[in-house]
Amino acid sequence: MAKVFKKTSGNGTIALYLGKRDFVDCVDSVEVVDGVVKVDPAGLNGKKVFVYLACAFRYGSDDLDVIGLSFRRDIWIKRVQVYPVPAAKAPSTPLQESLLKKVGDQGCPFTFQVIYLLETGSVFLSSSNITKYAQTTYLFWFQMPLNLPCSVSLQPGSGDSGKACGVDFEVKAYIADEADNPDEVIEKKNTCRLIIRKIQFAPANNKAGPKAEISKQFMMTDKPVNVEISLEKEIYYHGDPISVNVKINNETTKTVKKIKVSVEQLTSVVLYSSDTYSKEVCAQEFGETVGANSTFEKSFQVVPLLADNKDKRGLAVDGRLKDEDTNLASTTLGQGERELQGILVSYKVKVTVTVSGGGMLGGLTGSDVVVEVPVTLMSPKPAGQMSTWSLQRAEKETLRNSTTKNTKFRTVTAVFTFFQKCSF
């Protein structure tokens, strides 16, 4: 593991460790959010340690909170107690049962948490090293539901301050008497948190692009203008040029005087109600003309970039960590019949063909012919990346096919690499 993310509480009693901050949504499954909490029992004063994962929609900045209102709504939240580990919680998976047989009573403080293992890896799990880390470190994991949105922010205006509006995910460890007591005041020094992102990558199979056509008849003409547009492929990566093939069959006596190709971002905010906003992120006009009773065919290219839209307030961008660079928000892949909340993003390519007027009525007999097709903008999956979800499936298959009681399990995920890289 190249990097470990750590956050310590103000009083130094608890520390939160994560192996990564980007978790992949594969549409039909989401990577498990797992990590480690280091606890100093001497500083708890009889209290407990909890960890929660929350997906929240922020629809106002902190400086607007003048009457005690919070401009933030939790879409989904899950809490677990990590210290002391609930004694009544029994293992529920074959993996946990196998670990308990291997570790014995000494592993009880944390073996109720799921650990992802395979028969090949880097660190061998023995009773001695598990017992060593069990004294102060506790594992946790969360499985996010499939109907949560991805991390998206709405670009603030030049005069806006504070956190941007949008959907974010937060892992937070805290010291309290109860997991969720609205009357209990949890001091900031008793908490530590890390922001994570839920992201989607473009599917590996890129299908042929969509196609659309329209025929429009104008005043004082008995024949139409036929316009057909198509895309080379269904999915385009951020920063890549989008090729739009335009075919025009002008059967009228009028002239097509210009062609405009644009890309629009459609942002649906689904919270208490559903509202959709449209913003043009790329537009280019081409001075191509098509004479009367003639045909035309040409491919045009446009490139939608965030760099060209820095001044557009409310534009959806991919969630960012701190001040790192980001891009236009990726298309939200469909979830079938599952209803999503939060911010959903889609794009469309629009071709506008302007037909001149002419004659005594001038511009009254001219008009625009508009054709639209959907387009998917996403980031490619990094080469060689194997998701935790894929590892989990392999682990389950390994355990299912294993017939030897003394199987040597070896780690393949971040959990026990924490113990080698961090000084506990």
Side-chain angles (χ1 to χ4, degrees):
M1 182 175 52
K3 191 173 184 180
V4 172
F5 299 94
K6 174 185 176 182
K7 204 63 174 286
T8 305
S9 63
N11 58 16
T13 302
I14 57 175
L16 178 65
Y17 294 83
L18 293 177
K20 60 181 181 178
R21 298 176 76 176
D22 288 339
F23 295 86
V24 180
D25 178 357
C26 302
V27 180
D28 60 348
S29 65
V30 185
E31 285 188 318
V32 169
V33 179
D34 55 354
V36 172
V37 176
K38 181 183 176 183
V39 179
D40 179 9
L44 296 180
N45 297 323
K47 294 190 176 184
K48 302 172 184 178
V49 179
F50 301 92
V51 179
Y52 78 58
L53 170 62
C55 170
F57 182 82
R58 183 184 297 276
Y59 50 96
S61 58
D62 295 335
D63 56 357
L64 296 177
D65 186 5
V66 294
I67 57 175
L69 295 177
S70 175
F71 292 89
R72 171 189 170 100
R73 180 188 173 188
D74 288 330
I75 299 174
W76 178 85
I77 187 168
K78 177 78 172 184
R79 295 179 173 87
V80 295
Q81 179 179 323
V82 295
Y83 181 86
V85 176
K89 189 175 181 180
S92 58
T93 67
L95 179 58
Q96 290 172 316
E97 293 171 359
S98 299
L99 283 173
L100 282 178
K101 292 177 182 178
K102 179 71 179 177
V103 176
D105 295 338
Q106 292 177 322
C108 289
F110 70 93
T111 49
F112 294 114
Q113 310 298 329
V114 172
I115 306 170
Y116 309 112
L117 308 172
L118 276 177
E119 292 188 45
T120 58
S122 58
V123 183
F124 176 65
L125 299 184
S126 67
S127 299
S128 59
N129 61 19
I130 288 181
T131 303
K132 172 185 175 182
Y133 300 124
Q135 296 172 0
T136 58
T137 57
Y138 303 87
L139 309 183
F140 65 87
W141 67 278
F142 296 98
Q143 179 65 68
M144 287 185 277
L146 298 176
N147 62 343
L148 293 183
C150 290
S151 299
V152 178
S153 297
L154 299 181
Q155 185 167 261
S158 57
D160 295 337
S161 60
K163 294 182 180 179
C165 297
V167 174
D168 60 37
F169 291 79
E170 175 186 72
V171 179
K172 181 177 179 179
Y174 59 99
I175 302 170
D177 290 319
E178 298 180 29
D180 184 21
N181 184 355
D183 297 327
E184 183 178 6
V185 178
I186 301 175
E187 298 183 45
K188 190 174 182 181
K189 66 179 182 179
N190 290 335
T191 67
C192 51
R193 69 187 187 98
L194 285 169
I195 298 296
I196 64 172
R197 292 188 298 193
K198 179 173 173 282
I199 59 177
Q200 290 180 328
F201 291 125
N205 53 335
N206 201 348
K207 303 176 183 178
K211 179 188 298 185
E213 60 181 327
I214 190 173
S215 295
K216 185 171 182 179
Q217 192 167 334
F218 299 93
M219 185 184 298
M220 308 297 292
T221 62
D222 56 353
K223 291 185 179 181
V225 172
N226 303 294
V227 180
E228 177 186 302
I229 67 171
S230 60
L231 304 182
E232 289 184 353
K233 52 188 179 180
E234 182 182 33
I235 302 172
Y236 287 86
Y237 298 147
H238 292 294
D240 287 352
I242 299 175
S243 297
V244 185
N245 190 55
V246 180
K247 293 181 181 180
I248 301 174
N249 182 12
N250 182 13
E251 300 180 33
T252 70
T253 57
K254 302 178 182 299
T255 301
V256 174
K257 58 182 182 180
K258 67 178 178 180
I259 300 171
K260 178 184 177 182
V261 180
S262 60
V263 179
E264 292 186 2
Q265 181 190 80
L266 305 176
T267 304
S268 298
V269 180
V270 184
L271 197 58
Y272 301 104
S273 62
S274 180
D275 300 304
T276 300
Y277 307 91
S278 177
K279 289 187 179 294
E280 191 176 78
V281 295
C282 177
Q284 191 170 350
E285 289 189 357
F286 302 91
E288 308 287 346
T289 59
V290 184
N293 300 306
S294 60
T295 59
F296 171 86
E297 180 175 357
K298 188 174 181 179
S299 182
F300 301 97
Q301 288 189 338
V302 290
V303 185
L305 296 171
L306 178 59
D308 300 329
N309 296 275
K310 289 291 188 179
D311 58 340
K312 291 186 179 178
R313 186 174 186 267
L315 188 70
V317 300
D318 276 341
R320 70 183 79 191
L321 300 173
K322 293 187 178 180
D323 296 324
E324 67 178 20
D325 291 334
T326 186
N327 42 250
L328 293 171
S330 297
T331 300
T332 305
L333 295 182
Q335 298 287 339
E337 297 181 355
R338 289 187 291 269
E339 183 179 351
L340 290 174
Q341 284 191 312
I343 299 177
L344 313 181
V345 180
S346 61
Y347 293 88
K348 65 180 179 181
V349 173
K350 183 165 72 173
V351 174
T352 304
V353 175
T354 301
V355 180
S356 64
M360 296 180 59
L361 297 179
L364 294 177
T365 59
S367 184
D368 291 339
V369 183
V370 180
V371 194
E372 300 175 349
V373 291
V375 63
T376 299
L377 285 181
M378 301 194 76
S379 298
K381 185 175 182 178
Q385 174 172 318
M386 186 177 185
S387 67
T388 305
W389 170 73
S390 300
L391 293 174
Q392 288 174 256
R393 290 199 303 176
E395 292 152 14
K396 291 180 181 179
E397 190 66 25
T398 300
L399 288 172
R400 188 180 297 112
N401 296 334
S402 176
T403 57
T404 305
K405 293 184 178 179
N406 295 323
T407 303
K408 293 183 178 180
F409 297 107
R410 296 175 181 270
T411 61
V412 292
T413 53
V415 174
F416 284 97
T417 313
F418 285 135
F419 304 143
Q420 288 188 322
K421 285 186 170 286
C422 305
S423 52
F424 285 93

